[in-house]
Amino acid sequence: MYRFLLSRQWVILTLVALVLIPTMIRLGFWQMHRYEERTARNQLVSDALHAEPVPVEKLTSPGHTVTTDQRYRGVTATGTYDTAREVVVRRRVNSDETVGFLVLTPFVLTDGTVVLVNRGWIPADAPTQTSFPEIPAPPSGRTTVTGRLMPDETTAASGIKDLKGLPDRQVMLINSEQEARRLGEKVLGGYVAQTAPEPKGGTPELVGAPGSEDAALNYAYAIQWWLFSAGVPVGWAVQARREARDRAQAAAQQTEQAEPATV
């Protein structure tokens, strides 16, 4: 009855099913692994955002690489803005996906070291792309800045090419080592994304808090792949039974047609 399973068509169909089942199972485990990774990452970000701010010097130093555990940690810095040597970071967008600049200002701490402060986003409203835009001034004199500690940007991590030959006081990446060479100063590793004090008039526009990754979607994908893997043998069995039934019915009809009519 099921000898048709040895036909070329059914052998190929069976082999495809045997390949699909473990492949879908592995894809389900991969999605579950992504779910666990994203859940852990979301927890790290949440813990960092809710941690009590600490002086930035306690978490980083010149040449230090900001770790995953330190990223987004609330920090404070006390000193003065060095607006004469601030730069802008090109081709950055705000919450509305409008292209503009980020304002990167050296902040001189009380001990003379420098930390880079991302003061926020401004629109690209200069007369030309090569012109240095007008930037609202920060508070003058000694002040305390609060923000989130962020790692240096690199081409490898961000995909942004660190182009050469840019207009004066414009950069593509926020990188403490690069800025240390430009300034000729000791610069703390990483940078601070400012969250307070609020700028007068709302500009520069402060960078918003990071969103959480959609880990639940990966969990749903994992379940989906495993359901697919279970459905393959079920579908194979249903199709085989259907073809066996159809073949049996066709054979019965042929037998009836072959039998001589009774007188």
Side-chain angles (χ1 to χ4, degrees), residues 46-85:
S46 178
D47 292 344
L49 292 176
H50 291 90
E52 191 70 21
V54 299
V56 66
E57 305 95 317
K58 290 188 175 182
L59 296 181
T60 184
S61 58
H64 174 75
T65 298
V66 175
T67 65
T68 302
D69 292 344
Q70 294 172 333
R71 187 181 187 186
Y72 298 120
R73 276 294 307 274
V75 293
T76 60
T78 300
T80 56
Y81 285 104
D82 183 1
T83 56
R85 296 194 289 177

Side-chain angles (χ1 to χ4, degrees), residues 23-25 27-28 31 220-230:
T23 300
M24 291 178 175
I25 291 173
L27 285 171
Q31 288 289 354
Y221 284 155
I223 300 300
Q224 185 180 60
W225 280 118
W226 289 334
L227 289 175
F228 286 162
S229 69

